[in-house]
Amino acid sequence: MAHFAQIKNGIVEAVIVVNNETLGNLEFPDSEPVGQAFIASIGLDGTWKQTSYNANFRGKYAGIGDKWTGQNFKEQDVIAD
């Protein structure tokens, strides 16, 4: 399974799973544009970036609320009170 994170204003808003067969069983990075096209074809708007559940690429697995640096995902900075 391939995971894609929706990015809005530099923050991960959602993460979805796309079947590898839908991606032609391609590996990242070749799978990303195929997944993005599929996501658009089912009517989900926005910017979608592939993320690795095992953190094999892009720094870490994207979680809701994480930051997108333009190359990698990273946890939101915690602001202490």
Side-chain angles (χ1 to χ4, degrees):
M1 303 307 262
H3 299 82
F4 285 80
Q6 183 182 38
I7 313 299
K8 288 186 181 177
N9 298 318
I11 304 295
V12 176
E13 294 284 321
V15 179
I16 63 170
V17 178
V18 177
N19 189 306
N20 287 335
E21 289 178 10
T22 302
L23 304 178
N25 292 311
L26 296 169
E27 298 286 329
F28 179 83
D30 298 327
S31 56
E32 185 172 65
V34 177
Q36 291 167 328
F38 170 74
I39 292 166
S41 78
I42 62 171
L44 297 177
D45 294 331
T47 301
W48 293 87
K49 296 292 182 179
Q50 193 168 352
T51 184
S52 172
Y53 188 78
N54 297 315
N56 292 329
F57 52 85
R58 294 207 162 128
K60 69 179 287 300
Y61 177 71
I64 294 172
D66 285 347
K67 285 184 181 181
W68 169 245
T69 68
Q71 294 182 347
N72 291 309
F73 295 102
K74 68 178 232 176
E75 292 182 24
Q76 274 283 24
D77 296 327
V78 177
I79 300 172
D81 292 329

